[in-house]
Amino acid sequence: MDEQKGSTRGMDDSAQDQALGAELPGGRARPKTGKSEQTRALILETAMRLFQERGYEKTTMRAIAAEAGISVGNTYYYFASKEFLIQGFYDGMTVEHARDATEKLHGHTEFADRLYIALGSWLDCAAPYHEFAAQFFRTAADPNSSLSPFANESHRARATAVGLFRDVLTGSDIAPKLDPELRELLPDLLWLHLMIIVLYWVFDHTPDQERTREFVRRSTPMVAKVVVLSRYRVFRPLVRDVKGLIQDFILPTIGRTAT
Amino acid sequence: MDEQKGSTRGMDDSAQDQALGAELPGGRARPKTGKSEQTRALILETAMRLFQERGYEKTTMRAIAAEAGISVGNTYYYFASKEFLIQGFYDGMTVEHARDATEKLHGHTEFADRLYIALGSWLDCAAPYHEFAAQFFRTAADPNSSLSPFANESHRARATAVGLFRDVLTGSDIAPKLDPELRELLPDLLWLHLMIIVLYWVFDHTPDQERTREFVRRSTPMVAKVVVLSRYRVFRPLVRDVKGLIQDFILPTIGRTAT
DNA sequence: CACAGGTTTTGAACGCGTTCAAAACCAAGC
DNA sequence: GCTTGGTTTTGAACGCGTTCAAAACCTGTG
């Protein structure tokens, strides 16, 4: 019914050009990408600044355009809607999180510790944006929106995050002791776990989101405990059932097929 | 900071007057409530009809007003915003669900069966609204919105639903065998479980939401199994931990305090 | 009947996200 | 230089949710 309107008109596939518009040695920019990418970046930076200053709803497209010194129509040339301004932000934050977490993980081998570090790192990275994150969360919750963490458009961010959790697991002491199938499944599960934390975080109005931090602090050891326990014989039937359920019903909806 | 704008101006506390405007024997309506309540109901009915016909976003406030034969401003006299039109709908559906489920539960004693019946009943009641439910789900996901299932304004609907799950449990064969504390906690947990199903349902685009139905069919026995298993000694420490976590971190955020 | 005080209703207006036809700009080919 | 075809930019306009001062409507009281 409703046509999938392209995310941007400025370029057909803006996927793999992260640092492409970076300054070339000669000082001259690429003929095609240069100017265009520059405007695009300018818009995004301005938008993010204003979002943080005034919140998502309070920041009007007109204000963004004015602040960036261009026309309203032009911002729509690069970003199909106000929502799409967020996608860039979301991708960026995910990458930053992965980097920050990987760094902090260095030297730790206990699974519970590693998990706690990864989640704590997310809270650190996301903290500055809490106020306006809550405001645009509703957008992400729309099943039809491309901003939903389950949507195709979020694939890149999701892959980055899941990769991080795979790293959390494989770098830990319990990894080798786990059932291989479960080891394959767990990173996705841990990502889902993060999504739940995010849900909690968004609704958390305590100063500095202290409540969420405490929640993570207390829930992480439990998750670790469950993972460890899952190795024991008694749980095998249940674990098998749950695994099947997740593989058949959850993962397919987030764009993963059982291997 | 932001003032809580009243839900309606037409009446200060529209809580306990469900069937108050019903026809009196004499045919005359109450002096205060009569006309006003009538307009209010007219607006709500019209809105719901249009929502179902065209979807939430496509239905404009102007269209609702026109269709109801009144002015735009007047609808805002009764409903502070477009969102508030949904609250009434949500309350209504919850009540209908409770009634439908209670009826279907009659005669069943096995816990898994009862749970499955209750959840299936929800799917039945919600099915007609799936399309536009998905469209307004984003609104409910806003932490600042009064429509969030966790918000105070949804207290009545939540209480009804939790009550139903309490009934599901107490009417089952395993109820007497459970730890009393857990028995107290479970209804809220089962409600949370429903919320997860709802989340899945909203994102489900298969015809007739068949996928969600299958999901419920397969997950319900597992939930029942976990509940039954929780009685065994080995799990006590874990159960205790989880219980504490939920009581300290989850229930308070949905307006319940530990008893 | 007139008046006052409250409730209900109106419709024009505001600010917002978004669209679109037309203009401006730019590089390449003649 | 001029033309051509593409990309980028503009600003007026549209439709929406929402607000608000004023009008209309009640319902009792002097």
Side-chain angles (χ1 to χ4, degrees), chain A residues 84-96:
Chain A
F84 276 92
L85 283 168
I86 300 174
Q87 192 96 23
F89 157 76
Y90 183 53
D91 288 355
M93 212 206 71
T94 310
V95 171
E96 194 197 325

Side-chain angles (χ1 to χ4, degrees), chain A residues 65-231:
Chain A
E67 194 81 0
I70 61 176
S71 72
V72 225
N74 202 13
T75 72
Y76 278 91
Y77 181 71
Y78 288 99
F79 297 91
S81 77
K82 202 181 173 187
E83 294 185 11
F84 276 92
L85 283 168
I86 300 174
Q87 192 96 23
F89 157 76
Y90 183 53
D91 288 355
M93 212 206 71
T94 310
V95 171
E96 194 197 325
H97 169 222
R99 195 159 35 74
D100 180 66
T102 314
E103 187 179 323
K104 288 175 178 168
L105 279 171
H106 194 72
H108 293 84
T109 56
E110 183 123 3
F111 176 66
D113 291 350
R114 291 177 66 84
L115 184 57
Y116 178 67
I117 288 169
L119 295 176
S121 162
W122 190 91
L123 289 178
D124 292 340
C125 293
Y129 312 105
H130 181 265
E131 201 170 350
F132 97 89
Q135 274 181 311
F136 82 71
F137 180 72
R138 55 152 47 201
T139 302
D142 186 342
N144 302 318
S145 164
S146 60
L147 266 176
S148 148
F150 308 117
N152 290 346
E153 280 86 344
S154 308
H155 179 269
R156 199 144 44 115
R158 207 165 51 230
T160 308
V162 170
L164 170 64
F165 284 116
R166 172 163 291 116
D167 188 45
V168 165
L169 182 63
T170 55
S172 80
D173 45 9
I174 63 159
K177 304 178 193 164
L178 286 179
D179 173 89
E181 277 188 63
L182 187 62
R183 196 165 47 213
E184 193 51 39
L185 188 61
L186 256 179
D188 283 303
L189 276 188
L190 294 176
W191 176 79
L192 279 175
H193 179 218
L194 173 62
M195 290 300 103
I196 291 174
I197 307 262
V198 171
L199 180 69
Y200 196 91
W201 177 79
V202 163
F203 280 82
D204 184 0
H205 286 129
T206 61
D208 231 1
Q209 298 84 249
E210 195 44 55
R211 195 166 186 78
T212 306
R213 291 201 128 84
E214 187 64 26
F215 182 49
V216 170
R217 203 172 298 137
R218 275 191 47 189
S219 66
T220 304
M222 258 174 266
V223 173
K225 208 182 281 185
V226 170
V227 170
V228 171
L229 280 181
S230 75
R231 297 194 299 140

Side-chain angles (χ1 to χ4, degrees), chain B residues 54-60 63 82 135:
Chain B
R54 326 179 178 176
Y56 181 67
E57 317 253 79
K58 295 252 184 75
T59 305
T60 72
K82 202 181 173 186
Q135 273 180 311

Side-chain angles (χ1 to χ4, degrees), chain B residues 191-250:
Chain B
W191 177 78
L192 279 175
H193 179 217
L194 173 62
M195 289 300 103
I196 290 173
I197 307 262
V198 172
L199 180 68
Y200 196 91
W201 177 79
V202 164
F203 281 83
D204 184 0
H205 286 130
T206 61
D208 230 1
Q209 298 86 247
E210 195 44 54
R211 196 166 184 77
T212 306
R213 290 201 128 84
E214 187 64 26
F215 181 50
V216 170
R217 204 171 297 137
R218 274 191 48 189
S219 66
T220 304
M222 256 173 267
V223 172
K225 208 182 283 185
V226 170
V227 171
V228 171
L229 280 181
S230 74
R231 298 194 299 141
Y232 290 105
R233 288 220 130 208
V234 231
F235 303 91
R236 269 297 152 75
L238 188 61
V239 169
R240 189 165 288 276
D241 282 355
V242 172
K243 208 167 64 185
L245 191 73
I246 287 166
Q247 267 172 351
D248 292 352
F249 287 94
I250 313 274

Side-chain angles (χ1 to χ4, degrees), chain B:
Chain B
M1 265 294 154
D2 35 8
E3 307 205 35
Q4 225 19 12
K5 51 173 99 166
S7 59
T8 92
R9 261 97 129 235
M11 56 189 13
D12 20 0
D13 191 4
S14 70
Q16 56 276 61
D17 44 27
Q18 278 217 159
L20 201 147
E23 60 285 345
L24 299 185
R28 276 265 246 66
R30 279 271 190 40
K32 274 288 170 57
T33 35
K35 183 69 179 309
S36 186
E37 260 323 276
Q38 207 169 309
T39 321
R40 190 193 167 79
L42 173 66
I43 295 170
L44 213 145
E45 283 163 25
T46 314
M48 286 311 134
R49 182 163 56 79
L50 294 188
F51 284 163
Q52 260 177 275
E53 282 174 22
R54 326 179 178 176
Y56 181 67
E57 317 253 79
K58 295 252 184 75
T59 305
T60 72
M61 291 299 274
R62 284 166 179 81
I64 296 173
E67 193 81 359
I70 61 176
S71 71
V72 224
N74 202 11
T75 73
Y76 278 91
Y77 180 72
Y78 289 99
F79 296 92
S81 78
K82 202 181 173 186
E83 293 186 12
F84 276 91
L85 283 168
I86 301 175
Q87 192 97 20
F89 157 77
Y90 183 54
D91 288 356
M93 212 207 71
T94 310
V95 171
E96 194 196 326
H97 169 223
R99 195 160 34 74
D100 180 66
T102 315
E103 188 181 321
K104 288 175 177 168
L105 280 171
H106 194 72
H108 293 83
T109 57
E110 183 123 2
F111 176 66
D113 291 350
R114 291 176 68 82
L115 184 56
Y116 178 67
I117 289 169
L119 296 176
S121 162
W122 190 90
L123 289 178
D124 292 340
C125 293
Y129 311 106
H130 182 264
E131 199 170 351
F132 97 90
Q135 273 180 311
F136 82 71
F137 180 72
R138 55 152 45 199
T139 302
D142 186 343
N144 303 317
S145 162
S146 62
L147 267 178
S148 148
F150 309 116
N152 290 346
E153 281 86 343
S154 307
H155 178 269
R156 200 143 45 113
R158 206 166 49 231
T160 309
V162 171
L164 170 64
F165 283 116
R166 172 162 292 117
D167 188 45
V168 165
L169 182 62
T170 56
S172 80
D173 47 7
I174 64 160
K177 304 177 193 163
L178 286 180
D179 173 88
E181 276 188 65
L182 187 62
R183 197 164 46 214
E184 194 52 41
L185 188 62
L186 257 179
D188 283 304
L189 276 188
L190 293 176
W191 177 78
L192 279 175
H193 179 217
L194 173 62
M195 289 300 103
I196 290 173
I197 307 262
V198 172
L199 180 68
Y200 196 91
W201 177 79
V202 164
F203 281 83
D204 184 0
H205 286 130
T206 61
D208 230 1
Q209 298 86 247
E210 195 44 54
R211 196 166 184 77
T212 306
R213 290 201 128 84
E214 187 64 26
F215 181 50
V216 170
R217 204 171 297 137
R218 274 191 48 189
S219 66
T220 304
M222 256 173 267
V223 172
K225 208 182 283 185
V226 170
V227 171
V228 171
L229 280 181
S230 74
R231 298 194 299 141
Y232 290 105
R233 288 220 130 208
V234 231
F235 303 91
R236 269 297 152 75
L238 188 61
V239 169
R240 189 165 288 276
D241 282 355
V242 172
K243 208 167 64 185
L245 191 73
I246 287 166
Q247 267 172 351
D248 292 352
F249 287 94
I250 313 274
L251 298 191
T253 66
I254 60 173
R256 309 205 133 235
T257 44
T259 43

Side-chain angles (χ1 to χ4, degrees), chain A residues 229-244:
Chain A
L229 280 181
S230 75
R231 297 194 299 140
Y232 291 104
R233 286 219 131 211
V234 231
F235 301 92
R236 268 295 151 78
L238 188 61
V239 168
R240 189 165 287 277
D241 283 356
V242 172
K243 207 167 64 184

